[in-house]
Amino acid sequence: MSDTIEAGHGVASAARKDAPPAIILDKVNKWYGTMHVLRDVSLEIAQGERVVVCGPSGSGKSTTIRCINRLETHQEGRIVVDGIELSDDLRSLDAIRREVGMVFQSFNLFPHLTILENCTLAPIWVRKMPKAEAEALAMDYLRRVKIPEQAGKYPGQLSGGQQQRVAIARALCMKPKIMLFDEPTSALDPEMIKEVLDTMVGLAETGMTMICVTHEMGFARQVADRVVFMDRGEVVEQGPPDSLFENPRTERLKTFLSQILRGH
Amino acid sequence: MSGATADPRLAAARAVPKKRMRLSWSDPALRGIVWQVVIVALVVLGIWWLVSNTRHNLEVRRIATGFGFLWREAGLPIGEHLIDYSPTDTYFRALLVGVLNTLRVAIVGIVLATILGTLIGVARLSKNWLLAKLSAVYVEVLRDLPLLLQLLFWYAMLQGLPGPRQALHPAEGVYLSNRGLKLPGLVWEPAHGWALAAFLIGLVATYFYRRSALAKQMADGRPRPVWPAALGFLVVLPVAVWAALGAPWTVDWPALRGFNIQGGLTLSPEYFALLLGLVLYTAAFIAEIVRSGIMAVQLGQWEAAQALGLRPGQVLRRIVLPQALRVIIPPMTSQYLNLTKNSSLAVAIGYQDIVSIANTTLNQTGQAIEGVAIIMGVYLTISLSISLFMNWYNKRIALVER
């Protein structure tokens, strides 16, 4: 098992069960052609809750979180984000994307812009922020992810781990209420995984609502309020990380856990 | 690291050892020098042979060299000329007409081919199956057939049109016959010149307005629309100037008189066929260049920009185009050069471009070397101008990589 982060002190839960939920997925179904990739996926995520989604490849976990900011469209069911129902209405789409930040497996920094410009682009053009203010904000977040000295460089000049930290800072510059992580460490060399996970733990400590697709079980144990296990487009099992990993109830989760144990 | 503190012995130890040349064929430095000397010698020898051979032949045939013939009367009729010309003018003026005719087809051709090629390239990426397949067929057919064949085809098609008396007449003042396309023309008056000048000033004003609007947005964050100012500068201002000068408006309508259609603007069948052929042919290549440029931008770039809340137009403008253009510009330059040089195939269908006129000049005067030198000089000048401009533009949008 990958224990890049020692299962030491956990991050105290910030989930607010009393407040209205941050995200509701209600019987969401999706097909690619005839392939049924999401089957009746229902999830409710509280404000400040941190959820880790895991499962074998092709289980629909990435598709699920990509539906939340509508990079993918679902065909049946409802998705409500921050009180706004996802629909074809462009205004609701704009509103949701402003509140939901996303970090990708392959970083997807804009190679023709400097690190600082990567971070200020959306605040300036989407939030209509003055440039000086956006730059101050960006520098603040670049300091938090510990790379302010790289601000003038271009993404191609940074290591993978640095690029992913910039991607996190870029998303945070929009001051989102919810952060989505789509396998943020899968494309990284082992020695760079820790710096990115540390950044994410730091973010968790601020009480951000986070959904994270990852196989980093150490991270899940330390940070997650809940782990959701998906297989073949379905939510198979969910619960607090310790009980889920120690006492898997379903055969599918047992198989998955034994596979990732063998893999590491 | 500073030199002042260094112990001299330490400094000597750190110095890069001087590389010594070995007199051996296995030394790459020596090999490099030998090859360069050999190649330079061959080039000089070749030039010397060409020059001495030419001089000898010219002497034997008693041909005088020099460009004095340029000031003699040309006596050569030219059907299409952008500047005043009659056969009693000099060869120089005839050649100038030829250069302008070449530029007329090249510039219009480059603009149209870029627009058409971009549309087809984007259409080939469309999710609409029919549109994508039609574009693919267009590209494959047009770029696989020789341009000369296509030019002859279009010219034959235009020759197959009915004569002036039975001309196709799709709209008032528009006639299409085997004598070319006739369109209504505006009788040019000074007021139009002033209006055009006002438009150009408006263009500059719009540019500066946009710059200042952007600077203000960067200062306070509030976006300012540019289009109202652009409308004022580019439409209202020229129209106001034109109206203030009496709003002259005389249209020269083409009409059938005798055996031909007189008046109006004329696009000759030769020009029309050449333009059509060059544009359709080059657009096929440009379509592929545009397609490859857009495909070179990873889908992840779209997704990341959209996830940040950028609108599709903003994604295209700020993320995709800057990256696609850097892939598109260098091969696009080659296509612009190709189109310009391919316009010399005008000779085949009787459009009088620089090659056609220089060729006639060369036949009439016997000044073959000067004639060919003029053609080469003209194409070299045009091509280098295009290259310089495109290289400057390419540098401006170049990407910093690791």
Side-chain angles (χ1 to χ4, degrees), chain A residues 66 69 71 94 97 100 102 104 108-112 121-122 124-126 128-132 154 156-158 170 174, chain B residues 214 217-223 298 300-301 303-311 314 318-319 322-323 399-402:
Chain A
R66 287 162 61 88
N69 67 350
L71 287 181
D94 281 348
R97 285 190 173 154
V100 181
M102 186 160 196
F104 298 85
N108 295 346
L109 294 181
F110 307 129
H112 60 300
L121 181 83
I124 288 175
W125 295 103
V126 182
K128 318 288 185 205
M129 199 182 271
K131 191 177 176 191
Y154 285 86
Q157 298 168 306
L158 267 57
R170 176 176 73 177
M174 282 296 282
Chain B
L214 195 67
Q217 180 186 346
M218 289 301 140
D220 68 2
R222 196 162 56 83
Q298 290 164 6
Q301 295 286 311
E303 291 184 342
Q306 284 178 319
L308 283 167
L310 269 72
R311 290 278 181 78
Q314 291 176 317
R318 312 219 161 262
I319 305 301
Q323 295 183 56
L399 186 66
V400 178
E401 299 269 14
R402 188 190 286 268

Side-chain angles (χ1 to χ4, degrees), chain B residues 225-398:
Chain B
V226 176
W227 67 265
L231 190 74
F233 286 135
L234 299 178
V235 179
V236 178
L237 179 70
V239 168
V241 167
W242 172 69
L245 290 170
W249 182 257
T250 320
V251 179
D252 181 12
W253 293 97
L256 190 65
R257 281 184 220 113
F259 291 108
N260 206 350
I261 300 160
Q262 306 284 339
L265 289 175
T266 311
L267 282 180
S268 73
E270 292 79 20
Y271 176 77
F272 201 45
L274 182 64
L275 187 67
L276 199 64
L278 285 173
V279 166
L280 295 181
Y281 178 74
T282 313
F285 292 90
I286 290 180
E288 285 297 275
I289 292 169
V290 168
R291 183 168 75 104
S292 70
I294 293 175
M295 281 181 27
V297 181
Q298 290 164 6
L299 190 64
Q301 295 286 311
W302 278 94
E303 291 184 342
Q306 284 178 319
L308 283 167
L310 269 72
R311 290 278 181 78
Q314 291 176 317
V315 180
L316 203 63
R317 161 81 184 76
R318 312 219 161 262
I319 305 301
V320 176
L321 272 185
Q323 295 183 56
L325 278 180
R326 140 191 99 92
V327 181
I328 289 173
I329 295 300
M332 200 74 127
T333 309
S334 303
Q335 288 308 321
Y336 290 172
L337 295 176
N338 276 348
L339 188 146
T340 307
K341 290 177 294 172
N342 284 341
S343 73
S344 63
L345 288 172
V347 155
I349 55 174
Y351 177 70
Q352 284 171 304
D353 74 328
I354 179 63
V355 174
S356 166
I357 290 173
N359 213 20
T360 313
T361 305
L362 180 159
N363 283 333
Q364 290 183 353
T365 62
Q367 305 286 357
I369 293 172
E370 290 82 353
V372 172
I374 287 171
I375 298 176
M376 281 165 54
V378 166
Y379 279 110
L380 210 58
T381 308
I382 299 175
S383 296
L384 285 177
S385 307
I386 295 175
S387 289
L388 279 176
F389 173 76
M390 295 298 275
N391 287 349
W392 165 80
Y393 186 63
N394 194 37
K395 224 173 229 147
R396 249 193 59 166
I397 60 167

Side-chain angles (χ1 to χ4, degrees), chain A residues 81-138:
Chain A
V81 180
D82 194 33
I84 306 164
E85 171 142 17
L86 280 187
S87 67
D88 288 328
D89 184 3
L90 284 175
R91 272 166 308 169
S92 74
L93 184 65
D94 281 348
I96 285 162
R97 285 190 173 154
R98 246 173 273 164
E99 303 310 328
V100 181
M102 186 160 196
V103 175
F104 298 85
Q105 180 178 353
S106 49
F107 328 137
N108 295 346
L109 294 181
F110 307 129
H112 60 300
L113 301 177
T114 63
I115 298 308
L116 188 64
E117 288 166 343
N118 263 277
C119 293
T120 57
L121 181 83
I124 288 175
W125 295 103
V126 182
R127 287 253 189 249
K128 318 288 185 205
M129 199 182 271
K131 191 177 176 191
E133 195 183 317
E135 284 180 349
L137 179 78

Side-chain angles (χ1 to χ4, degrees), chain B residues 52-63:
Chain B
S52 67
N53 194 24
T54 310
R55 282 178 60 172
H56 174 74
N57 284 333
L58 285 173
E59 254 166 53
V60 168
R61 287 172 180 73
R62 295 169 196 240
I63 298 173

Side-chain angles (χ1 to χ4, degrees), chain A residues 229-244:
Chain A
F229 171 67
M230 289 185 72
D231 189 20
R232 283 173 241 158
E234 289 174 304
V235 175
V236 178
E237 211 174 308
Q238 52 180 311
D242 288 331
S243 67
L244 199 83

